[in-house]
Amino acid sequence: MSEADQPAVRQPQGAPAAMLNGLSILEAFSIKRPALGVTEISEIVGLHKSTVSRMLNGLSELGYVRREATSGRYRLGLSVLELSAPLLADLDIRAAGLEHLERLTELTGETTALGVWGDGGTIVVEQVASPHQVRHTQPIGNRYNQWESSSVRVMLAHHPLNAVHQLIETGRIVVPEGGISREDVEIELELIRKHGFATNQGGTTPEEFGVSAVVFDLRGTATGCVILSAPTSRVEFQHSAEALQRAVSQTAHDISARLGAAVVSENNSRA
């Protein structure tokens, strides 16, 4: 199991054990693990199978999970979506950004997405898929916590440096094998702030090219980012890396303006 797939461990003082166990079971599901059996869930969350089975029955009655008739495995239910709907509706960046993502995908032909920062990673909250048969996707709800991810670095560039170093040193942000020095981290983030975007050229997977640019809100806070993903082979064949970087940066600028942020000039200074 990769670190990105592991459910977060949260045990607030005084929180009822049943509630925490139920949340742990729901967090066991992910895009890479959409269907799970009782034994698998038991191993992931560290609870006895009888406890997991009992809680799954209760969650099923409430619609938070559903049981497949053929395999007996469980999947998340529609009640999870209903629970998250008010949060998604209240995300200003999502409401302001969709039409700009659609325009960006139409312009570039590549998959585009909006991400927000949450609990040590970038979480995708909106996506417009590429029309190409060969494409990369950014599924809603996907979380990225690898240093090489363009969306992670572009968001970290607007975090306090001490917070960035802590995220890396505690392993919440996964760095390349062999590690990365504090000096290299700070140099990289300064370059991203200077250029206004971050690029992932095969850093996470050799087949993927990614570029992200930050979105600011009315208060000048980095509220999220625009993400574009494309097959490396197509980008190299079309020599389109620079054009994609410009297009993503412009889209982030347009969404920022719609959110009321100060105008960003060509040298990325903000009035």
Side-chain angles (χ1 to χ4, degrees):
M1 185 193 316
S2 68
E3 182 173 339
D5 292 335
Q6 294 177 4
V9 177
R10 296 196 293 267
Q11 296 188 1
Q13 291 185 355
M19 181 183 73
L20 292 178
N21 290 340
L23 288 172
S24 295
I25 288 173
L26 293 177
E27 290 177 343
F29 295 90
S30 69
I31 292 171
K32 294 181 179 179
R33 297 194 309 266
L36 294 168
V38 173
T39 300
E40 292 171 294
I41 296 173
S42 174
E43 293 173 351
I44 292 170
V45 302
L47 295 172
H48 194 275
K49 286 191 291 183
S50 62
T51 302
V52 171
S53 180
R54 185 173 64 254
M55 300 205 71
L56 284 170
N57 288 336
L59 291 169
S60 180
E61 290 179 7
L62 295 172
Y64 289 105
V65 297
R66 59 182 177 85
R67 190 171 184 269
E68 295 179 338
T70 53
S71 68
R73 291 156 72 84
Y74 287 85
R75 291 178 177 269
L76 291 178
L78 290 177
S79 289
V80 174
L81 184 61
E82 293 173 357
L83 187 65
S84 64
L87 172 62
L88 292 176
D90 195 44
L91 285 172
D92 290 340
I93 186 175
R94 190 169 181 263
L98 180 56
E99 67 179 80
H100 294 283
L101 287 190
E102 292 172 339
R103 191 177 305 128
L104 180 58
T105 291
E106 182 179 0
L107 173 67
T108 63
E110 304 298 350
T111 296
T112 60
L114 286 171
V116 297
W117 188 259
D119 195 27
T122 304
I123 302 170
V124 176
V125 297
E126 189 60 90
Q127 179 201 233
V128 177
S130 165
H132 291 294
Q133 184 175 4
V134 178
R135 62 191 180 190
H136 283 279
T137 59
Q138 303 276 356
I140 293 175
N142 219 18
R143 179 191 296 272
Y144 300 101
N145 69 341
Q146 290 181 284
W147 168 258
E148 295 289 348
S149 169
S150 64
S151 66
V152 169
R153 281 180 288 120
V154 84
M155 294 303 295
L156 289 178
H158 298 277
H159 276 60
L161 283 175
N162 60 340
V164 173
H165 292 310
Q166 184 177 28
L167 286 168
I168 291 173
E169 289 164 7
T170 58
R172 294 175 70 188
I173 297 300
V174 180
V175 298
E177 187 175 352
I180 184 170
S181 70
R182 283 190 165 216
E183 181 181 7
D184 287 343
V185 165
E186 294 176 13
I187 290 172
E188 172 70 9
L189 297 183
E190 176 60 30
L191 285 173
I192 291 170
R193 285 191 293 272
K194 177 181 178 180
H195 296 301
F197 61 84
T199 303
N200 172 16
Q201 294 182 295
T204 49
T205 59
E207 302 83 8
E208 182 178 9
F209 172 90
V211 57
S212 300
V214 74
V215 172
F216 296 98
D217 64 12
L218 178 63
R219 298 179 297 276
T221 302
T223 189
C225 61
V226 175
I227 311 165
L228 180 145
S229 297
T232 301
S233 57
R234 185 157 59 234
V235 174
E236 292 178 346
F237 179 75
Q238 297 177 343
H239 304 287
S240 59
E242 291 186 7
L244 295 176
Q245 290 165 347
R246 288 193 299 270
V248 169
S249 295
Q250 182 61 50
T251 299
H253 171 280
D254 293 343
I255 297 174
S256 297
R258 185 164 179 176
L259 290 173
V263 175
V264 183
S265 65
E266 290 184 358
N267 64 0
N268 294 303
S269 64
R270 298 169 59 245

